[in-house]
Structure formats: C-alpha cells, structure tokens
Amino acid sequence: GWKDAINITIINFNYEKMQITWAARELFPNKNVSFSYTFDEGKDKVWKPCTTYLLDQGYNSGCLFKTEGPTLGISIRNNNGSKELFSKKLKSDFYIKPNRPENVTFFWKEDTVTVSCNKPERAVKCLRLELQYKSTLDKGWQSRTSTCCSVGDQGFDPRKCYSFRVRLKRLVPYCNVVNYSSDWEAETFWMNGTLLDSCDDITSQSNTVIVLSCSLAVLLMMLILLVLLCKWQRLQKSVMPAIPDPKCIFADLINDHNGNLQEWLDKTDHTVLQTKLEYEEPECIIEAGSQQEDEKNSDKQGPLEKIFTFSGTAENSDLKATQLACLLPASNTITSFAGFQILMNDDMYVTI
C-alpha cells in the first residue's frame, strides 16, 4: 500500500516522449534512487534502466524516455536496485499533452474572426481548440473553445487592436485522466484583419494623435480668446471712450506758468488769435463808410457777401466801430476774432 501511495507526475508528450517525476527530497531524503520502465506485458517483460535522469539538488527526481506503447510499467528502487520502493502500471495514452497547433490561420469577415489549424495525426476527437483574445482596453483574456480544428467569435471592433493566442486541449475524463493542454502558440496582433507587429505601436500613435488634438484645441481656444479680447477693447472704446487726462491738456499751465491761470489765458488767447490770422484767407477788408455804401456793395456781391460790425474789445472801449466786409460761403459759419465769436448764415449778419 505504501508503494502505491507515492505521488508521481506522468506526462506523455504527444505520443513521443514520457516524463516521470517524483518528489525526491520529500519521499527519499538524502537518498538516491534508480528508475526502470517497460512497455511489454506478460511474462516477457523487459525492464529498461533510465538513461536520462532529471536531477533535484544532485538527487534523481525523474526520468525522460521514449514512448513505445499504450501500456507502461514503472519501478523505483534503491540506489543499487536491490529493493523496490515504488511500482505502478498505467495507460500512457491517458496522460497525453498535445503539441502546439500548427499552421494557425485567421479569417476575418466584418466583425467575425475564425481561427483554424492543421489537424493532428492522432486522436482528433479527443482534442479541442481554445482561442483567447483581448483588446488594448481589456484587462483579462476572453476565451472560446470549439472542436478541433476551428474556432471563432464575433463582435470584434475594427478600430481596436487585439491580441490572439491558441492552444489544443485534451478532453477529460474521456481521453485523459489529467487535464493537459498544449503550450500556447505564439501571440499575434491584429486590427481589422491586418496583422501587426505589436499593439503598442497603435497605442503610441493614438496617444500622439490625442496629444496633437489637445494641443491644437488649446491653440485654437487661445486664438479665439485673443480675437474676442481685441473686439471687446474696440467695443469698450466705442461705447465708453477714454477720458483724457487733464495733466496732459494743461501741462503748460503747470509747467510754464506755475498755475497762473490769467497769464496762461492771455497767452492762449494771443496764440489762438495769431494762428487764426495766419491761416485766414485774405478775403476780408476793413472799410469805414456809410451803411448805404455797404448795402450797395452787398447788392453787388450777391447772397454770398455778408457784413459784420464789431464793437471794440473789452480792453479798449474807446475804439470806433469797424465794419468788416467779407466774401464767405453760403453756409452757417462761426468765426473767432479777438476772443469774440461771430455766427454767419445766408440771411443775416451779426454786429457784436
């Protein structure tokens, strides 16, 4: 009973090689053991010693040998082979681990993907083809299983990049007593039916597009804000014009005249009068005559001729009245002369 209680691991690699392993340090501490096997039955059994041992810290922990038949007998003995420590008879076909799928192909049709591979030479009915896939947005793998040797699924987004991997599995318990599967076929990357080297390139391109889009959006927003700010300043100037600073207007009053208002006014009036005289057209003459002569001249000149009579200025009240005869345009006009304003139109003259 103790001999059958030893826990061993048995793997038949696709009907080609057998691997038997045991826990050497736990089962046989500080002892080395020998291993032998046979595929024969009956009285003519021929035991073959192990030629390829698997070691664990220098102690024999397993044996690797060629598969030669469906029925296998194994025996573990002490180092010199004089005492049997463990023996077992088993069906090697119940411990098969299949090879990876061969010639895997992908077929895309709209949102449906079908994956297929070549059929193995033996026990196809005991095999299942498993497909696993995930997109760049998925955290874990999604799995689909079908009979050998084609499996498919639908609902794939053509805008996403997917990772695919496939493997073969043995049916349990009809074909295997242990749930063995093949190693995964090399992982491939697909996007809308196109084979890619990696999904990382697509992710980096997407990130670059996102960064560029955000940058362009920020620049556009800044441009719009600048345009709105300029328009707002223009609108503000048109609605609420800026009030001039009195310091600039009366700079000469403060700087040149030390705040003396009368002196500044006298100088300002003199300057205005001189400027007016310099730029006035020499069309006006001063005449001393009777009103009849003025009326005759007025009749001759027509409606464009206006006569203005000015009284003397406030500084010289003894000056005589003076008449100014001017040829002026036929329109309302305001003229400043020696601090006085004269309003002229087509039908009247004003004497001040």
Side-chain angles (χ1 to χ4, degrees):
W2 177 82
K3 293 181 180 180
D4 295 334
I6 293 179
N7 186 20
I8 62 174
T9 301
I10 306 167
I11 303 176
N12 185 356
F13 292 101
N14 198 41
Y15 307 96
E16 298 172 359
K17 288 184 178 182
M18 296 292 302
Q19 177 179 290
I20 312 295
T21 58
W22 56 87
R25 289 182 297 172
E26 298 176 3
L27 297 175
F28 314 106
N30 301 323
K31 293 181 180 180
N32 218 344
V33 295
S34 61
F35 178 86
S36 58
Y37 65 94
T38 182
F39 285 95
D40 298 326
E41 297 183 9
K43 297 180 180 181
D44 299 331
K45 289 182 181 179
V46 177
W47 291 90
K48 298 179 181 180
C50 178
T51 57
T52 306
Y53 279 103
L54 304 177
L55 301 179
D56 182 9
Q57 295 184 359
Y59 294 96
N60 296 336
S61 62
C63 182
L64 187 65
F65 52 95
K66 184 179 179 181
T67 303
E68 298 177 0
T71 304
L72 173 64
I74 60 176
S75 176
I76 299 177
R77 295 175 176 269
N78 58 6
N79 192 23
N80 57 17
S82 60
K83 183 180 179 181
E84 187 177 70
L85 304 177
F86 173 79
S87 64
K88 187 177 182 66
K89 184 179 180 180
L90 52 91
K91 291 289 186 181
S92 62
D93 291 349
F94 286 167
Y95 298 89
I96 294 176
K97 180 178 181 179
N99 288 339
R100 294 177 179 179
E102 297 179 355
N103 193 22
V104 178
T105 58
F106 289 79
F107 176 74
W108 289 73
K109 184 178 182 182
E110 297 177 353
D111 65 339
T112 302
V113 177
T114 303
V115 183
S116 59
C117 67
N118 290 346
K119 290 184 178 182
E121 297 178 356
R122 302 176 63 176
V124 177
K125 293 182 179 180
C126 290
L127 296 175
R128 294 292 182 267
L129 182 63
E130 182 182 9
L131 168 67
Q132 287 190 348
Y133 61 88
K134 65 177 179 179
S135 69
T136 52
L137 303 178
D138 296 331
K139 295 182 179 180
W141 292 94
Q142 301 184 51
S143 183
R144 296 291 181 272
T145 304
S146 180
T147 56
C148 187
C149 291
S150 178
V151 61
D153 199 4
Q154 58 185 4
F156 291 92
D157 191 343
R159 297 170 297 180
K160 295 180 181 179
C161 180
Y162 291 89
S163 303
F164 290 92
R165 62 182 185 181
V166 293
R167 67 179 178 180
L168 290 172
K169 299 179 64 176
R170 289 274 294 186
L171 285 178
V172 176
Y174 304 104
C175 299
N176 261 32
V177 295
V178 182
N179 188 13
Y180 283 148
S181 301
S182 71
D183 295 334
W184 290 104
E185 180 63 14
E187 188 175 344
T188 57
F189 307 94
W190 296 80
M191 182 175 181
N192 195 20
T194 303
L195 180 62
L196 304 176
D197 294 334
S198 174
C199 287
D200 296 335
D201 299 337
I202 302 299
T203 303
S204 60
Q205 291 177 5
S206 302
N207 293 335
T208 303
V209 171
I210 292 173
V211 171
L212 291 177
S213 301
C214 294
S215 302
L216 290 176
V218 171
L219 292 176
L220 182 61
M221 290 296 296
M222 293 178 63
L223 180 61
I224 294 175
L225 289 176
L226 288 175
V227 172
L228 292 177
L229 181 61
C230 294
K231 290 188 176 181
W232 169 251
Q233 291 179 349
R234 292 182 181 178
L235 179 63
Q236 190 176 20
K237 289 181 180 179
S238 61
V239 175
M240 295 180 294
I243 300 175
D245 190 356
K247 294 182 180 179
C248 299
I249 300 176
F250 302 104
D252 54 347
L253 172 63
I254 298 173
N255 298 330
D256 300 339
H257 303 284
N258 295 324
N260 192 333
L261 181 62
Q262 186 61 43
E263 181 181 345
W264 178 73
L265 289 175
D266 294 341
K267 184 176 181 180
T268 303
D269 290 341
H270 176 72
T271 304
V272 171
L273 176 60
Q274 185 176 1
T275 305
K276 292 291 184 179
L277 292 177
E278 288 178 357
Y279 287 93
E280 258 185 61
E281 296 180 359
E283 295 179 351
C284 298
I285 59 175
I286 300 176
E287 295 181 357
S290 63
Q291 185 176 0
Q292 293 178 355
E293 292 176 354
D294 295 337
E295 292 177 355
K296 290 180 181 180
N297 293 334
S298 175
D299 294 339
K300 292 180 181 181
Q301 293 297 332
L304 297 178
E305 183 177 316
K306 308 298 178 180
I307 299 176
F308 298 87
T309 303
F310 296 85
S311 64
T313 62
E315 296 177 356
N316 190 1
S317 59
D318 296 334
L319 294 179
K320 295 182 178 181
T322 306
Q323 294 180 337
L324 298 178
C326 304
L327 295 175
L328 299 173
S331 61
N332 293 339
T333 306
I334 297 177
T335 304
S336 176
F337 180 77
F340 297 92
Q341 291 185 344
I342 304 97
L343 173 65
M344 299 172 289
N345 55 29
D346 296 340
D347 300 327
M348 65 178 293
Y349 64 89
V350 179
T351 301
I352 302 177

